[in-house]
Amino acid sequence: MLINLASSLNAEQCKAASIIEGPVLIIAGAGSGKTRMICYRIAHMLQSGIDQKQILALTFTNKAAAEMAGRVRELTGRQLPDLVTSTFHAFGMRVLKKHCHMLGFRQNFTIYDSADRVSLLREVMLEEELDPQAYDLDGMLQLFSDIKTERSPWPSDSPSHARMLYDAYREHMRLYNAFDFDDLLMLPLDLFTRYPTILDEYRKQYSHIMVDEFQDTSLEQYRLVKLLAQESRNLCVVGDDDQSIYSWRGANYQNIMLFEQDFSERVEIKLERNYRSTGTILEAANKLILNNTQRKEKSLWTESGSGGRIIMLNPQDEEDEVDTVIRLMRQLSFEHQIGWDSFGILVRTNHLIPLVENKFMLENIPCAVSGGQSFFERKEVKDTVAYLRVLANPDDDIAFLRIVNTPRRGIGRTTLQSLRSVAEKHHCSLYSALGIIIAPDSKHSPKQIQTLKILYELLQTYREALFSAGRRKSAVLKSLMEEIGYRHHIAQEHIGNEQAAIWRYKSVETFVTLFSRWERDEDNRSNSVFDYLQRLSLTSRDRQEDEAEEKKVSLMTMHASKGLEFDTVFLIGIEDHIVPHVRTLEENPDALEEERRLFYVAITRARKLLHISSCSHRKRNRELVASIPSRFLSEIPTDLFEESKEDRVLEASETFAAFEALRKKLAQKESS
């Protein structure tokens, strides 16, 4: 299929998509159609004779990577099985699967998520005779992450044993043949630095590299793509410094400046035409962000007209705030015949969400909370996955510890301590220690041996069955969960609540079904259980359970709203101690510009209507105290605002038109 860039893109997009040789910096403003441009650029590369195997497109979520690949396939009319559109972590995993043996790891590695890391650190502390409850485990793991990624040196006030725990944590990861998410970036960097031949292999393979959301890359991610593109110089980065809002997780918006230094011959292109929001919304965003000094000059514009003014809400308190939002949503829904999914409600912090969610529940308004517990985070699903992980990699101690007494099988603290002692003595995993304890020459108690032997034989039997099952591994897993009596185990946890037990076991059955679909997918070439588990670990960070088709109001933090858009947006809690966030400024006075960028991102999520709410009073520490509007509101021209005119009386013609539209809609549903 022949691609015509000039007829498909605007002038700036066309220029950005046309230049496929040499370094390119594309500053893409909010709603400027950057994803469309990126897909056309890749299609243009393919049409120009660049082999799909030579293209590497990196982004930040698996969903975005899959969408990108799908759109390129549609544009070109080709299957493109060897085109790599990937997250940074998935690319790192790809490198490690091929070369991790060079670093002393085996290819059947496990990827530890946040919960696994906490469990491992707790285990390490117990081995060192430290009480995990006396420490901030999340804080210590964040310190470990900062040290491993070289974001910061060891702080002078770190606990004396922190370095010892860090070394022990890393040693256990190696022993268990496991990686965490930092490893998926740092170990490929280590490989490329220590083994120039491996780096040269990837440089030759990927002659053209693209990075989306470049403003959100960390320093180590930039180092990775810089290494890969240093010789070819064919590196295109797409980002917007005005939307850099993730410094707290390692993002470094100054990577744009580093790119300019390292690739001084770059071509720079700005995409400023906005296809999402009205002129009024864009003017508010432009005026707001002008107050930041560390930014590239740009101004968003649109041809879609100015639209209505921004509606300012001044409720008495947070209860009145949510009631006001509900009334306005119902009014807009009725007048314009729009569904609940047209509305997005954004807040600065998670603590503002429960009140809104609870009110919506009481008012029977369907609501989806972004960042709520995903399907794969449910306890029963994590238990099932842990069994699969142990069958695939018996040396995975974190998974082993999760399943060893789930359901209860008489393995008490003394037996677990024996397992740990043997594992430490022989420098082996707990599963290997189990094999040592039940050996014919074992001196352990007959009761311990008998209990552990039953577990060992169970896992060995199903491990052998799993690896000889071909594309019926899901049937093996289903049989295992039935044999261990997991349904009864759940029922015992919910005595008197049969429905809860049924619902939870249905999650196990759903997971088995998902696993079955994966292994029977014709596009799944390797059908390796390791591939599935590794992919599951990667996608668990950004995958959300597929909801029912019911249209719902989206409720989320401003951070979670990045990349989304809604016809009507409500920004609530826009008060000076919340936006900008007082604690963030206390911890880092230089964070004011990022707080302003965050508010800019929130504003530019709105397509047609924007409501901003600032309460007169709000509860703090259970006391109702006076609030003042956010200082950022004073940076937006007052003529762009109007006071809310909620609950106005409709004209007779408007009422008739609304009812007529509703009647037609219901008639269509009945006929279908």
Side-chain angles (χ1 to χ4, degrees):
M1 187 182 298
L2 194 63
I3 305 296
N4 188 326
L5 297 181
S7 64
S8 304
L9 305 172
N10 68 36
E12 290 75 22
Q13 291 172 335
C14 182
K15 182 180 178 182
S18 299
I19 303 173
I20 57 177
E21 299 295 330
V24 183
L25 170 60
I26 302 171
I27 303 298
S32 61
K34 72 174 177 64
T35 304
R36 178 180 175 84
M37 180 278 299
I38 288 171
C39 294
Y40 271 90
R41 189 175 190 273
I42 295 173
H44 178 56
M45 282 192 238
L46 295 166
Q47 187 170 280
S48 300
I50 298 171
D51 194 303
Q52 59 180 293
K53 293 179 180 178
Q54 294 183 291
I55 299 172
L56 173 62
L58 296 169
T59 186
F60 277 83
T61 67
N62 292 287
K63 181 180 178 182
E67 180 185 344
M68 187 185 297
R71 289 174 70 167
V72 173
R73 283 195 292 268
E74 286 180 14
L75 282 173
T76 60
R78 296 167 59 184
Q79 287 301 308
L80 303 172
D82 297 312
L83 175 67
V84 179
T85 60
S86 167
T87 65
F88 277 91
H89 291 95
F91 175 71
M93 184 181 76
R94 178 186 289 256
V95 173
L96 291 174
K97 282 171 70 173
K98 187 173 182 181
H99 298 289
C100 66
H101 64 280
M102 301 291 289
L103 300 174
F105 290 89
R106 302 183 302 282
Q107 286 186 325
N108 63 333
F109 56 79
T110 299
I111 299 173
Y112 279 9
D113 62 15
S114 299
D116 294 328
R117 294 176 70 221
V118 170
S119 297
L120 176 58
L121 180 56
R122 186 178 287 114
E123 179 188 342
V124 169
M125 286 182 159
L126 290 172
E127 288 180 3
E128 300 297 334
E129 298 183 347
L130 296 171
D131 181 6
Q133 293 185 345
Y135 295 87
D136 176 7
L137 301 188
D138 290 330
M140 187 165 287
L141 286 169
Q142 182 58 54
L143 173 61
F144 289 180
S145 179
D146 290 342
I147 299 301
K148 184 186 290 189
T149 58
E150 302 172 7
R151 284 195 289 265
S152 65
W154 282 100
S156 56
D157 60 347
S158 60
S160 58
H161 47 264
R163 296 186 188 222
M164 175 271 293
L165 288 172
Y166 175 68
D167 291 338
Y169 170 84
R170 297 196 69 179
E171 182 57 36
H172 277 70
M173 291 287 287
R174 182 173 291 277
L175 176 65
Y176 300 158
N177 199 43
F179 299 139
D180 59 24
F181 286 101
D182 291 329
D183 291 325
L184 299 182
L185 299 175
M186 299 309 294
L187 292 181
L189 274 172
D190 189 25
L191 269 169
F192 292 159
T193 305
R194 288 167 57 182
Y195 302 100
T197 54
I198 295 178
L199 174 59
D200 190 52
E201 173 191 333
Y202 282 89
R203 281 177 171 174
K204 288 177 179 176
Q205 179 173 353
Y206 299 113
S207 62
H208 291 73
I209 301 172
M210 288 191 69
V211 182
D212 189 16
E213 303 288 3
F214 186 63
Q215 77 282 346
D216 294 331
T217 53
S218 63
L219 191 56
E220 56 269 23
Q221 288 167 332
Y222 175 62
R223 285 171 57 200
L224 192 63
V225 293
K226 177 188 169 185
L227 270 176
L228 291 171
Q230 209 154 28
E231 289 190 354
S232 73
R233 315 297 286 177
N234 296 326
L235 175 59
C236 173
V237 299
V238 185
D240 180 8
D241 50 338
D242 288 339
Q243 297 187 74
S244 179
I245 58 174
Y246 297 118
S247 65
W248 46 275
R249 69 182 190 195
N252 180 16
Y253 77 96
Q254 293 181 327
N255 281 349
I256 292 177
M257 289 182 275
L258 291 175
F259 176 82
E260 291 175 326
Q261 294 170 16
D262 296 328
F263 296 86
S264 57
E265 75 275 29
R266 76 201 175 279
V267 174
E268 182 174 320
I269 302 162
K270 292 180 182 177
L271 305 183
E272 298 173 288
R273 180 178 177 181
N274 179 282
Y275 292 89
R276 176 188 300 156
S277 305
T278 65
T280 298
I281 292 169
L282 294 181
E283 186 179 354
N286 286 333
K287 295 293 186 185
L288 170 75
I289 206 65
L290 275 176
N291 292 276
N292 274 7
T293 57
Q294 301 180 47
R295 64 184 294 268
K296 282 188 165 291
E297 185 178 341
K298 71 184 79 67
S299 182
L300 301 180
W301 61 276
T302 183
E303 290 185 348
S304 63
S306 60
R309 286 187 289 181
I310 298 167
I311 299 171
M312 194 70 209
L313 308 177
N314 300 110
Q316 288 298 310
D317 54 30
E318 56 262 52
E319 294 271 353
D320 185 31
E321 182 174 56
V322 182
D323 290 340
T324 301
V325 169
I326 289 173
R327 284 197 300 271
L328 285 170
M329 284 198 307
R330 282 181 167 151
Q331 181 178 316
L332 289 167
S333 179
F334 178 75
E335 289 183 20
H336 302 288
Q337 293 302 299
I338 53 178
W340 293 120
D341 58 336
S342 299
F343 299 100
I345 299 176
L346 313 185
V347 298
R348 171 61 181 84
T349 60
N350 277 306
H351 86 275
L352 296 174
I353 286 179
L355 174 64
V356 183
E357 187 178 13
N358 186 59
K359 282 266 189 180
F360 280 17
M361 178 190 68
L362 295 175
E363 294 288 335
N364 292 317
I365 295 176
C367 171
V369 180
S370 178
Q373 186 187 41
S374 91
F375 171 78
F376 295 94
E377 289 300 313
R378 294 178 184 175
K379 178 183 180 299
E380 57 275 15
V381 176
K382 289 183 78 86
D383 287 345
T384 309
V385 172
Y387 269 102
L388 188 58
R389 280 169 55 173
V390 169
L391 295 184
N393 176 14
D395 295 327
D396 183 347
D397 276 19
I398 298 299
F400 182 86
L401 286 170
R402 186 176 187 102
I403 64 100
V404 70
N405 224 17
T406 305
R408 295 193 177 278
R409 47 175 59 93
I411 298 176
R413 181 176 298 178
T414 303
T415 304
L416 282 175
Q417 189 55 51
S418 296
L419 277 170
R420 278 204 175 94
S421 299
V422 171
E424 289 172 15
K425 180 180 178 181
H426 292 271
H427 301 287
C428 65
S429 67
L430 293 172
Y431 187 84
S432 297
L434 192 157
I436 293 170
I437 289 176
I438 66 171
D441 58 347
S442 174
K443 294 184 171 61
H444 288 77
S445 72
K447 184 179 178 182
Q448 272 190 357
I449 292 173
Q450 181 60 27
T451 303
L452 293 176
K453 189 175 182 181
I454 292 171
L455 175 60
Y456 186 84
E457 291 176 349
L458 173 79
L459 296 177
Q460 279 293 97
T461 299
Y462 277 93
R463 178 170 161 76
E464 291 170 7
L466 185 77
F467 286 101
S468 61
R471 291 185 179 268
R472 289 188 53 79
K473 297 180 183 68
S474 57
V476 175
L477 180 61
K478 180 182 179 183
S479 178
L480 172 61
M481 299 308 288
E482 289 172 352
E483 181 167 338
I484 64 174
Y486 194 81
R487 188 193 297 270
H488 178 71
H489 165 69
I490 289 179
Q492 289 301 109
E493 289 186 341
H494 293 276
I495 295 175
N497 190 348
E498 185 180 358
Q499 281 303 114
I502 292 172
W503 183 81
R504 283 187 58 193
Y505 194 78
K506 191 166 183 61
S507 296
V508 174
E509 295 172 332
T510 300
F511 175 79
V512 171
T513 300
L514 292 174
F515 184 32
S516 174
R517 286 177 186 169
W518 174 84
E519 64 177 347
R520 294 179 186 181
D521 187 348
E522 291 181 359
D523 292 332
N524 173 16
R525 297 178 181 180
S526 69
N527 192 37
S528 164
V529 68
F530 301 114
D531 284 353
Y532 184 74
L533 289 170
Q534 290 160 6
R535 178 62 56 186
L536 191 61
S537 295
L538 284 175
T539 56
S540 67
R541 300 199 307 170
D542 61 353
R543 185 195 300 210
Q544 294 181 354
E545 183 182 2
D546 192 18
E547 298 276 357
E549 291 185 3
E550 183 182 15
K551 295 180 179 181
K552 299 181 180 183
V553 177
S554 293
L555 171 60
M556 66 190 71
T557 64
M558 294 176 181
H559 282 104
S561 74
K562 178 83 186 316
L564 302 176
E565 56 187 68
F566 306 93
D567 283 347
T568 301
V569 167
F570 290 86
L571 306 181
I572 66 176
I574 311 303
E575 296 140 39
D576 211 52
H577 62 288
I578 300 174
V579 180
H581 196 265
V582 62
R583 190 180 303 165
T584 300
L585 295 185
E586 286 173 355
E587 293 172 354
N588 178 15
D590 296 330
L592 182 63
E593 294 212 349
E594 180 158 334
E595 288 289 302
R596 188 180 282 111
R597 291 195 293 269
L598 181 59
F599 192 43
Y600 170 88
V601 166
I603 287 173
T604 54
R605 299 310 94 196
R607 293 191 193 108
K608 298 176 182 177
L609 294 176
L610 176 62
H611 299 72
I612 298 178
S613 174
S614 176
C615 292
S616 301
H617 295 79
R618 187 175 294 273
K619 281 185 180 177
R620 287 191 239 175
N621 298 323
R622 298 185 181 180
E623 288 187 19
L624 195 64
V625 297
S627 290
I628 60 173
S630 167
R631 69 192 75 176
F632 293 152
L633 294 176
S634 65
E635 298 172 357
I636 300 173
T638 55
D639 63 348
L640 299 180
F641 291 103
E642 71 175 44
E643 293 291 324
S644 170
K645 297 177 182 177
E646 56 171 311
D647 294 337
R648 69 180 179 86
V649 177
L650 297 181
E651 298 290 336
S653 58
E654 291 179 297
T655 305
F656 178 80
F659 274 117
E660 185 65 16
L662 181 61
R663 186 188 65 77
K664 288 180 179 178
K665 196 172 184 179
L666 292 172
Q668 288 174 354
K669 283 187 177 180
E670 287 177 4
S671 62
S672 61

